[in-house]
């Protein structure tokens, strides 16, 4: 039998109008009315939604020759380039990403923690005693600074304000709904995207040439790729290395910026919990703990209240509202057969608010991840904001540590308040942040900084 069909489709268009208006509300209606699996249609294309931990297990355990990401994410090829990521076979993509694992070892995380603090410290010092900021814009700027320095090296970080950030912003604009369906349509946005990619590749290639000429080494992704060899012994070209660097930068930075924004917004209005986070900071970084307030990965790990806030924002506001695969050969789930040619979807934005998985799912409650509730441990695929199975985001731990570092420093230095109502999600972007403008007011706190 086939998956039950969502009601309300139009002739020819299917559910396009409802999807464009509010995709999450439409998918949530299907999960609520039809259960773990349901299908809808946009034009001639059938989509099948997998909702809930058991359905997630089937989805994430399916082999690549059955549920294929490459077919879906071809819109990323103009951004990342030929011969990398979704332009190659899954086993080659896995080999390429595998080159980077040594640069994410525990020893690297200690170095990253110090870089994160230094970047947030500079960011905080640049603001006056009080004022207003566009939070999504500032979180994007800050995470670009952190990611470029951690992943690409100090040489690239030094060029962020000299062209890299602007080019990277134009590349980010290439992630849009039109680009998903028509990635090579010669729109002004896509032409800017293509010019920006070449500019970024030129910057990265120049840094790699300079490193080779100087015989210098660094503990970052760029150096790992410069040393890497495929199984057949071949070295990566500079264009391949640049494409892989762009892939991981996009995967980590854009989503981290959005999740960091939502984390701040939720904490600003949850005043009681925010004070608990600050009290935890005083305990972890106080004079009787650690290295007199110096931020390290050990101290960041000890901040469980802060981490639970980040995880709760991943649940309520997952940056990617949909994960999509193409069905290459029929797939069975229970009594349902999903036919070849359909697009299979997991929606974290829907599954994270299922009432039989999370209690009071629309409420911000970080304590749901702490004992005794421990709702995140009831199933390993209950929370899928960073994907699942072998396709889980390799930078998840880095992303969570970065967001914890950002808000540890900023909440230590400032009081914040939202200027206006709590924003709705902006579904027009592939990575779902808040509607703009999203202004927050800040005032520097009188007491001396605890964290340094």
């Amino acid at each position: 039998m086939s998956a039950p069909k969502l009601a309300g489709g139009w002739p020819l268009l299917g559910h396009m109008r409802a999807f464009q208006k509010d995709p999450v509300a439409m998918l949530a209606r299907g999960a609520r009315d039809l259960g773990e699996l349901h299908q809808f249609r946009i034009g001639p294309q059938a989509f099948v939604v997998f909702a809930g931990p058991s359905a997630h297990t089937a989805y994430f355990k399916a082999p690549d020759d059955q549920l294929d990401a490459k077919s879906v994410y071809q819109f990323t090829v103009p951004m990342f380039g030929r011969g990398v990521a979704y332009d190659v076979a899954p086993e080659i993509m896995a080999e390429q990403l595998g080159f980077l694992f040594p640069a994410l070892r525990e020893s690297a995380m200690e170095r990253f923690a110090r870089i994160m603090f230094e970047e947030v410290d500079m960011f905080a010092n640049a603001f006056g005693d009080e004022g207003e900021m566009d939070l999504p814009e500032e979180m994007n700027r800050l995470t670009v600074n952190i990611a470029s320095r951690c992943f690409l090296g100090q040489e690239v970080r030094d060029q962020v304000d000299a062209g890299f950030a602007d080019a990277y912003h134009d590349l980010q604009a290439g992630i849009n709904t039109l680009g998903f369906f028509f990635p090579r349509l010669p729109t002004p946005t896509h032409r800017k995207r293509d010019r920006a990619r070449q500019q970024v590749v030129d910057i990265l290639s120049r840094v790699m040439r300079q490193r080779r000429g100087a015989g210098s080494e660094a503990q970052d992704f760029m150096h790992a790729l410069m040393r890497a060899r495929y199984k057949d012994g071949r070295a990566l070209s500079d264009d391949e290395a640049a494409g892989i660097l762009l892939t991981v930068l996009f995967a980590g930075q854009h989503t981290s910026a959005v999740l960091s924004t939502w984390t701040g917004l939720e904490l600003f209005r949850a005043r009681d919990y925010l004070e608990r986070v600050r009290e935890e900071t005083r305990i972890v970084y106080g004079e009787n703990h650690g290295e007199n307030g110096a931020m390290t990965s050990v101290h960041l790990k000890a901040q469980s209240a802060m981490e639970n806030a980040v995880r709760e924002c991943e649940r309520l506001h997952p940056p990617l509202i949909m994960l999509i695969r193409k069905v290459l050969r029929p797939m069975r789930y229970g009594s349902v057969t999903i036919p070849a040619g359909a697009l299979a979807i997991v929606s974290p934005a829907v599954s994270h608010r299922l009432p039989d998985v999370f209690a009071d799912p629309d409420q911000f409650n970080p304590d749901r991840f702490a004992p005794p509730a421990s709702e995140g441990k009831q199933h390993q695929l209950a929370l899928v904001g960073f994907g699942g199975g072998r396709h889980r985001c390799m930078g998840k731990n880095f992303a969570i540590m970065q967001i914890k570092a950002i808000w540890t420093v900023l909440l230590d230095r400032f009081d914040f308040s939202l200027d206006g109502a709590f924003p709705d999600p902006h579904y027009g972007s592939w990575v779902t942040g808040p509607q703009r403008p999203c202004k927050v007011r800040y005032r520097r706190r009188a007491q001396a900084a605890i964290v340094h």
Side-chain angles (χ1 to χ4, degrees):
M1 62 179 289
S2 60
K5 295 180 180 180
L6 183 67
W10 289 58
L12 299 179
L13 294 177
H15 298 85
M16 182 178 292
R17 291 189 176 184
F19 187 85
Q20 288 178 324
K21 181 178 180 181
D22 191 332
V24 173
M26 189 193 86
L27 299 178
R29 174 167 64 90
R32 182 183 64 247
D33 296 347
L34 302 173
E36 288 185 302
L37 257 64
H38 73 273
Q39 63 174 301
F40 66 94
R41 184 173 53 82
I42 295 179
Q45 179 64 60
F47 295 78
V48 178
V49 181
F50 291 65
S54 296
H56 293 169
T57 299
Y59 184 94
F60 288 114
K61 284 189 174 181
D64 291 323
D65 64 358
Q66 185 171 51
L67 293 188
D68 175 49
K70 178 183 175 183
S71 302
V72 176
Y73 293 102
Q74 286 298 296
F75 74 96
T76 66
V77 173
M79 291 181 288
F80 303 150
R82 293 291 187 184
V84 299
Y86 294 109
D87 192 51
V88 296
E91 59 271 18
I92 301 299
M93 181 178 177
E95 189 176 358
Q96 291 174 342
L97 295 180
F99 296 146
L100 304 176
F101 280 122
L104 285 171
R105 288 181 180 141
E106 194 65 28
S107 58
M109 288 297 182
E110 187 55 57
R111 185 175 62 86
F112 291 159
R114 197 61 203 165
I115 290 173
M116 291 170 185
F117 170 77
E118 291 170 0
E119 289 293 342
V120 186
D121 181 58
M122 287 190 290
F123 175 86
N125 290 339
F127 287 95
D129 288 340
E130 61 181 300
E132 185 179 73
M133 69 170 74
D134 184 306
L135 191 61
E137 180 178 326
E138 296 300 336
M139 287 300 102
N140 192 66
R141 181 165 67 91
L142 177 56
T143 53
V144 166
N145 291 347
I146 293 171
S148 62
R149 188 170 163 195
C150 288
F151 296 162
L152 309 183
Q154 185 66 50
E155 305 100 318
V156 178
R157 171 63 182 91
D158 291 341
Q159 298 185 58
V160 163
D161 295 328
F164 182 87
D166 289 340
Y168 183 71
H169 179 269
D170 289 343
L171 266 175
Q172 284 181 321
I175 303 179
N176 54 64
T177 304
L178 181 64
F180 175 78
F181 291 102
F182 305 104
R184 298 195 180 275
L185 197 66
T187 65
T189 297
H190 289 170
R191 285 194 291 268
K192 288 179 66 176
R193 172 202 66 193
D194 295 341
R195 289 194 297 269
R197 182 189 183 277
Q198 189 58 55
Q199 185 178 352
V200 170
V201 169
D202 289 345
I203 292 172
L204 299 179
S205 297
R206 183 167 62 249
V207 172
M208 285 186 272
R209 288 195 300 271
Q210 291 169 347
R211 286 190 180 185
R212 289 192 192 97
S216 59
E217 296 188 0
Q219 295 175 306
D220 54 35
F221 285 2
M222 181 180 288
H223 185 67
L225 294 175
M226 289 171 64
R227 295 180 57 190
R229 296 294 184 273
Y230 287 105
K231 292 177 182 178
D232 63 6
R234 181 175 66 85
L236 283 72
S237 69
D238 283 357
D239 196 71
E240 284 177 302
I244 297 170
L245 290 171
L246 277 173
T247 301
V248 296
L249 187 62
F250 265 85
Q253 182 276 324
H254 203 174
T255 53
S256 292
V258 166
L259 187 52
S260 185
T261 299
W262 286 118
T263 300
L265 292 172
E266 288 287 2
L267 285 173
F268 299 162
R269 67 175 181 175
R271 292 293 174 181
D272 290 345
Y273 196 85
L274 184 149
E275 288 308 314
R276 285 173 54 189
V277 167
R278 282 181 169 152
E279 178 61 24
E280 178 182 71
T281 301
R282 284 190 284 271
I283 292 170
V284 171
Y285 295 92
E287 292 183 0
N288 296 324
H289 297 78
E291 301 175 12
N292 296 323
M295 179 175 284
T296 69
S297 63
V298 173
H299 298 101
L300 287 166
K301 285 182 181 178
Q303 293 175 256
S304 57
M306 178 72 85
E307 177 151 343
N308 289 338
V310 177
R311 296 181 72 196
E312 178 68 338
C313 288
E314 176 197 347
R315 187 187 70 82
L316 284 172
H317 308 287
L320 298 177
I321 60 171
M322 292 185 300
L323 310 174
I324 309 176
R325 305 282 186 269
K326 185 172 183 178
V327 184
L328 298 184
R329 53 186 175 86
M331 176 182 178
R332 287 187 62 83
Y333 180 73
S335 60
V336 174
T337 298
I338 299 95
L343 294 181
I345 291 178
V346 162
S347 173
V350 171
S351 294
H352 289 177
R353 298 200 187 209
L354 295 174
D356 57 338
V357 180
F358 295 103
D360 297 319
D362 294 330
Q363 299 302 310
F364 176 74
N365 176 23
D367 287 331
R368 72 175 71 249
F369 294 106
S374 299
E375 291 183 6
K377 294 183 178 180
Q378 60 185 310
H379 194 287
Q380 63 177 350
L381 291 174
L383 201 66
V384 290
F386 288 92
R390 65 187 179 283
H391 294 298
R392 185 182 296 274
C393 175
M394 64 183 290
K396 175 183 177 181
N397 292 336
F398 177 91
I400 292 175
M401 187 170 84
Q402 176 181 214
I403 296 167
K404 291 168 70 175
I406 288 171
W407 288 113
T408 295
V409 174
L410 294 184
L411 292 174
D412 181 39
R413 308 284 178 86
F414 299 99
D415 288 316
F416 293 91
S417 60
L418 184 61
D419 187 8
F422 195 86
D424 291 327
H426 173 51
Y427 293 129
S429 173
W430 189 257
V431 182
T432 304
Q435 295 274 10
R436 308 284 291 273
C438 181
K439 304 284 189 179
V440 298
R441 297 186 181 278
Y442 63 89
R443 181 188 297 270
R444 195 172 294 272
R445 304 180 75 207
Q447 60 266 50
I450 299 170
V451 187
H452 57 77

